[in-house]
Amino acid sequence: MEQTAAPNMILLASMNDEHEDDWANNLAQLHRHLQQYPAIAPFVGAELRRRTSLESARNQIEIWEQATPRIEPVLAIIDARLGAANKRGKPGAAAVELLEWIHSRSNVPLLVLAVDPPELVQRYVLERPEVFVWTSDAKGAVNGGAEVATVLTCLTPLAPKRRRRLIIRVGEHSITYRMQMGRHEYSSQDMPYKERDRISALVGRIETFSPYTGETKAPQWLKDLSGVGEDVFSAMVTHSLGAPIAKLIQRARDEEVSPGVGAFAGLDLRFEFNLASQEVSRLFNLPFEMGREFGADSGRYLCLELPMARRLHVDGAAPAPRWEQDTRAPGQPVRLLFMDASSVFGTVSFRREDGGPPLPAKEFGPLLSVAQERKHLQHLAGLAPGSLLIDNVREDGETGLVGAELQRRIEERLKTGNYDIFHFAGHSESSGESTMLVLPGADGEAWQLSIRLIGQWMEAGKCKLLVLSSCSGASVRTALEVMRAGAAGVLAFRWQVEEESCARYIQRFYDVYLDAAQPKGLAEAYRYACKAAQGDAGDLPTWASAMAIVRD
């Protein structure tokens, strides 16, 4: 006699009556999304069984285990505020006990309902990337069924491992974090800084720091910068956000270096700033990329071992998509505009693009590696014809295109060329409230072009990434002007850099960012370039000077 197949069951452990109504409604909508998300098939039509305490939930699972045929629930949804019938404990203790009990018995996917999770539940989830958190108001979501479908897809056994994104928001008086996975996220409460005086002192130290003394590399630049980075991690992450977040970052970093069985799915790290605040703009200067926990090996800096970027929130700007795409689709063509400004060197006087009074003359060294940058890009374009299309602002032989006329050419190309990347190779300088690109001018003079105008033209032409192969381009002003105008990313260097190592860094970045078969996102390409450059010439500050910035 044939046995009847066991029905698909979903356990909901919650004392909240609304949770049952919300999830019954969302599960009833799943069939409409089955074609788009075929992995949700086991959840479509599954019976929702609610239990209201730790004990009754455990009893239900034991009944299913003893059934003939045995019933293995396809999902367990646990309310972070679940209670126990026969005992009192810390908030979240019953939920954690149930989660651990289920996990010890089966591989059923686990989903935690938590708007403001107790600390015990928060720590449990942070340390277990296989557990997912749901914070949405399901009944208030316009398209709740679709959102549930995306989350359940991440929980299916055959789902590919996906990086979680940890966004640490650096505020003026407090710090918070958000965790994203796919199209879902949950947030912490604001956590006041516990060591404000220490943080202020770190800001002062980094504002006077440079890896160079004049043209000479400082002998202890890495030791000095490492000390600030280590203190930043301690004060901003470990002491302000708490040990669970610090341990999460450290575990992700360890798994990146030595993946194990059932390895951590990976962490994509962001430090977010709202530069409308002057104090936050000062905090932006801290070397978060050089963070590490106290006592770490000398080479274990965040920028070398985790995909990471700085993320800007710009008041008044049109927001970027809520969830950044991790990578481009393989084979998607990229259009790049290349500006070679290497002809500016020697003692140079300036004319400004705004027609203002003359500026003091300045000494610039020759740039001998720009041609190599362009050659490397052409090599990448040749590896997969049609995947990378390169235009030059000045074609060979156009040496007379200088000053205002050259500025107009850049403007016209950026506004109308439909480019994805604007690559500037030359000299730049940041002073006070402005960052200027240095262009060749007429009669031996140079021409200063404000980064503000570049940002406006990129916005008009929907160009998304600015790459500055130049010194001192990664200022607060560069980030603010370019992001406010609508660009999605900037790769630049915050201090003086050695030209040849800068060119090699840029080449390493493009090797993975422009890989036609397996392109990487900005944060992953940045990490790769930092690691490679540090291996090429670890005594040079180029890799520690580089900064990847994205817009929220």
Side-chain angles (χ1 to χ4, degrees):
M1 182 176 180
E2 292 186 4
Q3 286 188 333
T4 304
N8 285 349
M9 306 295 295
I10 294 175
L11 173 68
L12 170 62
S14 174
M15 298 181 292
N16 191 325
D17 294 340
E18 291 186 358
H19 284 163
E20 183 172 12
D21 295 337
D22 294 343
W23 279 90
N25 177 58
N26 277 283
L27 293 170
Q29 298 181 52
L30 285 182
H31 69 279
R32 298 190 291 112
H33 307 285
L34 184 59
Q35 185 173 358
Q36 183 177 1
Y37 304 100
I40 66 173
F43 308 112
V44 176
E47 180 181 339
L48 183 68
R49 189 71 57 84
R50 177 187 166 212
R51 293 294 177 260
T52 58
S53 68
L54 164 67
E55 293 81 6
S56 61
R58 290 172 61 164
N59 183 58
Q60 178 62 75
I61 289 178
E62 289 173 340
I63 291 173
W64 283 338
E65 289 175 342
Q66 296 166 12
T68 305
R70 177 189 174 100
I71 297 175
E72 181 78 16
V74 294
L75 175 66
I77 306 172
I78 313 298
D79 186 350
R81 298 284 176 178
L82 182 71
N86 300 323
K87 57 183 176 180
R88 294 180 178 272
K90 293 183 179 180
V96 168
E97 184 176 339
L98 180 59
L99 287 163
E100 290 181 331
W101 184 82
I102 294 174
H103 182 68
S104 68
R105 302 172 76 89
S106 70
N107 293 320
V108 59
L110 299 172
L111 187 65
V112 177
L113 303 183
V115 175
D116 179 18
E119 183 179 354
L120 285 176
V121 177
Q122 176 180 290
R123 185 182 300 116
Y124 182 89
V125 172
L126 286 174
E127 294 175 354
R128 292 163 178 80
E130 67 277 4
V131 181
F132 207 84
V133 172
W134 175 273
T135 59
S136 289
D137 178 4
K139 72 177 181 181
V142 175
N143 197 14
E147 190 169 358
V148 170
T150 62
V151 173
L152 295 184
T153 297
C154 297
L155 289 170
T156 55
L158 298 180
K161 286 185 175 181
R162 302 184 63 180
R163 288 186 178 277
R164 294 194 295 177
R165 177 168 294 145
L166 173 62
I167 301 172
I168 297 175
R169 185 177 185 276
V170 179
E172 183 172 350
H173 304 290
S174 61
I175 192 164
T176 62
Y177 71 85
R178 301 198 305 279
M179 188 71 72
Q180 294 179 340
M181 183 173 178
R183 292 179 56 82
H184 194 64
E185 70 175 45
Y186 67 97
S187 304
S188 73
Q189 295 180 325
D190 283 354
M191 301 178 185
Y193 294 127
K194 295 181 178 179
E195 299 178 300
R196 293 183 57 84
D197 291 343
R198 183 183 179 194
I199 293 170
S200 296
L202 290 171
V203 171
R205 286 170 61 187
I206 202 63
E207 287 179 340
T208 59
F209 172 83
S210 173
Y212 287 89
T213 302
E215 298 297 319
T216 304
K217 176 167 59 70
Q220 292 191 337
W221 73 267
L222 183 54
K223 179 180 179 181
D224 293 342
L225 185 58
S226 296
V228 179
E230 189 173 283
D231 286 348
V232 167
F233 189 89
S234 173
M236 307 288 279
V237 178
T238 305
H239 291 166
S240 293
L241 282 179
I245 290 292
K247 290 179 180 178
L248 173 71
I249 293 172
Q250 291 162 18
R251 179 185 175 190
R253 186 205 59 193
D254 291 342
E255 287 285 359
E256 290 283 345
V257 176
S258 303
V261 177
F264 191 77
L267 196 69
D268 200 11
L269 184 60
R270 299 285 188 270
F271 285 91
E272 182 180 88
F273 308 84
N274 184 341
L275 296 186
S277 163
Q278 184 65 35
E279 183 59 31
V280 173
S281 294
R282 296 189 69 210
L283 294 173
F284 180 87
N285 290 321
L286 292 172
F288 295 92
E289 293 81 1
M290 300 296 290
R292 57 179 184 165
E293 80 278 22
F294 181 78
D297 294 339
S298 60
R300 309 207 66 178
Y301 303 106
L302 291 180
C303 65
L304 302 180
E305 299 192 352
L306 284 177
M308 67 177 299
R310 292 169 181 244
R311 179 180 167 113
L312 298 192
H313 173 78
V314 182
D315 289 340
R322 184 180 175 195
W323 295 278
E324 304 162 28
Q325 294 295 321
D326 291 331
T327 61
R328 298 185 315 281
Q332 181 179 340
V334 176
R335 292 181 59 86
L336 183 146
L337 180 64
F338 192 97
M339 176 64 225
D340 179 349
S342 61
S343 59
V344 179
F345 63 91
T347 302
V348 178
S349 57
F350 290 100
R351 288 183 184 273
R352 302 197 313 193
E353 97 279 355
D354 60 5
L359 296 164
K362 190 168 182 176
E363 184 75 19
F364 290 108
L367 298 176
L368 305 178
S369 299
V370 174
Q372 187 62 33
E373 289 184 31
R374 178 155 49 167
K375 182 178 179 181
H376 188 75
L377 283 167
Q378 291 168 342
H379 168 71
L380 293 178
L383 293 177
S387 64
L388 175 60
L389 308 174
I390 305 170
D391 287 338
N392 297 295
V393 174
R394 294 199 305 176
E395 301 299 337
D396 293 339
E398 283 193 301
T399 56
L401 183 63
V402 296
E405 186 179 355
L406 176 57
Q407 177 175 314
R408 285 192 290 271
R409 171 72 68 83
I410 296 173
E411 178 181 6
E412 183 270 334
R413 290 285 179 89
L414 283 177
K415 284 183 174 180
T416 64
N418 194 31
Y419 295 105
D420 300 289
I421 303 171
F422 177 48
H423 178 113
F424 174 84
H427 294 288
S428 63
E429 53 180 4
S430 295
S431 60
E433 290 296 309
S434 63
T435 296
M436 312 296 288
L437 305 183
V438 181
L439 304 179
D443 302 324
E445 294 180 320
W447 187 270
Q448 285 196 334
L449 175 57
S450 169
I451 202 72
R452 171 181 50 82
L453 293 178
I454 293 294
Q456 292 174 2
W457 302 338
M458 290 179 66
E459 178 191 27
K462 302 189 184 306
C463 181
K464 294 303 181 185
L465 176 62
L466 173 64
V467 176
L468 295 179
S469 181
S470 61
C471 295
S472 307
S475 66
V476 171
R477 181 55 50 186
T478 296
L480 185 58
E481 294 291 1
V482 175
M483 299 299 181
R484 178 181 286 146
V490 174
L491 180 71
F493 301 91
R494 61 189 304 182
W495 296 300
Q496 176 182 339
V497 289
E498 191 272 333
E499 181 211 351
E500 188 175 340
S501 68
C502 174
R504 285 200 302 268
Y505 182 96
I506 295 294
Q507 291 169 29
R508 298 282 198 171
F509 171 80
Y510 281 139
D511 281 343
V512 294
Y513 188 74
L514 296 177
D515 187 325
Q518 293 183 312
K520 304 296 185 184
L522 179 65
E524 181 68 46
Y526 165 76
R527 186 268 295 263
Y528 174 85
C530 288
K531 188 76 171 178
Q534 191 253 5
D536 287 341
D539 62 327
L540 292 175
T542 304
W543 61 272
S545 180
M547 189 183 293
I549 309 168
V550 298
R551 184 171 63 89
D552 76 348

